[in-house]
Amino acid sequence: MATMNQNAAIKFFLILSFLITSTFSIPSSPDRFIKSALTSLRSPEKPQEYEELTRPLPSDHLTPSCSHVLLRHSFANTINRPPFTTPYTPPSDCTSPPWSYVVLDLRAASSGDQYDRISGLWLGGVELLRTSTAEPSPTGIFWNVRKDVSRYSSLFMRSDLNVTMMLENIVNDVYTGIYHINVTLYFYEFNPIASNPKINGRLEFAESQRSDQSPADLIIPLCDKGKRGFWFMIEDPEEIHSKRIRIPSNTRRIVLELYVSFHGNDEFWYSNPPDSYIHTNNLATGRGNGAFREVFVKIDGKYVGSEVPIPVIFTGGINPLIWEPVVAIGAFNLPSYDMDLTPFLGRLLDGKSHEFSLGVNNGISYWLVDANLHLWLDHGSSNVVARSGHYESPSHHMVRREELEQLDGSFGVEAEVRSEFDGWVKSSEGNLTTSVKSMFNVSNLVSFEKDGAYKRVEQRVETKRIVEVTSESGKPVKRIVHQRSYPLTVITSTLRGFTNDKDMYLLMTNVSHALNEKYSAGEAFTEIYNRQDSDGWMEVEDHNVLAGEASTRQSYSYVDEFSCYSRTIVAGNGEITHDSSSDTCTLSSSS
Ligand SMILES: *[C@@H]1O[C@H](CO)[C@@H](O)[C@H](O)[C@H]1NC(C)=O
Ligand SMILES: *[C@@H]1O[C@H](CO)[C@@H](O)[C@H](O)[C@H]1NC(C)=O
Ligand SMILES: *[C@@H]1O[C@H](CO)[C@@H](O)[C@H](O)[C@H]1NC(C)=O
Ligand SMILES: *[C@@H]1O[C@H](CO)[C@@H](O)[C@H](O)[C@H]1NC(C)=O
Ligand SMILES: *[C@@H]1O[C@H](CO)[C@@H](O)[C@H](O)[C@H]1NC(C)=O
């Protein structure tokens, strides 16, 4: 008896100490969850609409000249399969182009249990949309994404292209949600700026703005072969993907448009501690390598530009309850990034092919990256002369700070990146010099307290790009300034050991993020302020959300030289409790 008691006591002591250690042995961290069990508790009666807050498109109140179904497909167990592909035919019922405005309309529906999934849509390998799905519920959800795709107009006239959509999904006994997707193009014959009633008398100006933004004559994709989607999958910092591309010798302007999303161990890259933290604490996680990432572009091995991407949070991320039914900024329509490469035409117009490459500084598995090269051709000549001028290779100033005491610590990165290029291009438009200055500042602080149970991530990113075009006599022709700032705060606080089940814990989460943008081209300007503040808690077992509550507040405002729009929305526990919008200009718009 005595021995048994002793044994029992030892066993009890072992269990107790195990509970105590397991209470604190895994640090708090943003993760990816599925809300299966919970939604069946909450279950609304009819399918619910999800949305990403954005502004109405100028075409929303107009009738399209024609519409054209790009694809209708249900993505079930598509994992490890090739993408869905179907031939593209230009719309036959539209009076002959040029149409002036094209809208891509994606409608999606799903029901059951499913993780969020990433998806890419391409036409002839040119990416048109990067999107992610919302996590469904048993009664079903649906959503609509509308995107102005006028800049891809030159592709829509071609009949030798395939439409491709990649959406890898798993459907089995556990994950039952199938994603049903319809994509339609709507073609409009109007000038959205000139058709705006508020701008009578300013048509001349609107026209000049439109010509500045007129779609490229040719778009060449910088992409993979397409067997697993046209994106390149990048799994480590050394991995660089390249494609040899020949640029037509009458190209007078070139802009690279970058598409990027991050997954796996880098889904929350902005919250990753350095490897020293993981090794010191013997953690099993692969989410490391610090919190600084930079996607870069090279031509013939030479750096030509880079971006620190906007930290888009997918609907299973951090706390899935926060993203119903209003998803995170960019989740349905991930932003793309433009880089003006015109200063490099001097190297590219030699009739030979050149190596364009993409990579991710510090990136770990995995990133999905590709790019579109938008080319404007000189119709008045078959030969354009160009020379690259000043090339200031990017200066990276980076300071990392590290304080570490077992599971507590703080890790800071401050980075400033600048680059400057110029070059002249002589075409039938004259001899124009383009100078591109880009700079960005990043500050990131990841800190752990309470034996790792409390984690706070603060990131600030500010970017500025200035493109100036001057004539041979030095007269300014065009000046474009594009600024973005995207601050982010994520707090995750874990409470373990409140039940005997060591896999079950409570997670308190706060997320605040914003995407603010200022764009100006001469007198034309656009300003967008978009901010989301959320908090919530959830009870989690493994990656399943069992119970919880969440609320989100978002305000969006848009101003350009002709119009204003603003909207505020509040959602709590899956329902919208406040939604107001206005198109009156309350702030006097200054130009
Ligand atoms: C797609 O289109 C078909 C045919 O019009 C329609 O029955 C289906 O409900 C649509 N699906 C979605 C997700 O909108
Ligand atoms: C379009 O897809 C089909 C079927 O996958 C393929 O045989 C064809 O070569 C593709 N066409 C182009 C232009 O890529
Ligand atoms: C970056 O920070 C420096 C000073 O630290 C400031 O002068 C500069 O304007 C900032 N750049 C951007 C793009 O915010
Ligand atoms: C174009 O202009 C630049 C300076 O603005 C000059 O250096 C260059 O020689 C000019 N090119 C031609 C072909 O005239
Ligand atoms: C996090 O959200 C909770 C509400 O759930 C709030 O009480 C708390 O102040 C927030 N914390 C921070 C640091 O914003």
Side-chain angles (χ1 to χ4, degrees), residues 454 456 491 509-510 535-536:
Y454 175 91
R456 186 184 175 96
I491 299 168
T509 50
N510 297 47
D535 61 73

Side-chain angles (χ1 to χ4, degrees), residues 416 418 439-441 462-464:
E416 206 183 313
R418 298 166 160 273
M439 47 223 120
F440 54 85
N441 292 346
E462 275 163 21
T463 72
K464 188 171 188 179

Side-chain angles (χ1 to χ4, degrees), residues 72 107-109 142-143 180-182:
R72 283 197 187 122
R107 285 172 197 271
F142 64 97
W143 69 93
H180 305 282
I181 311 274
N182 292 353

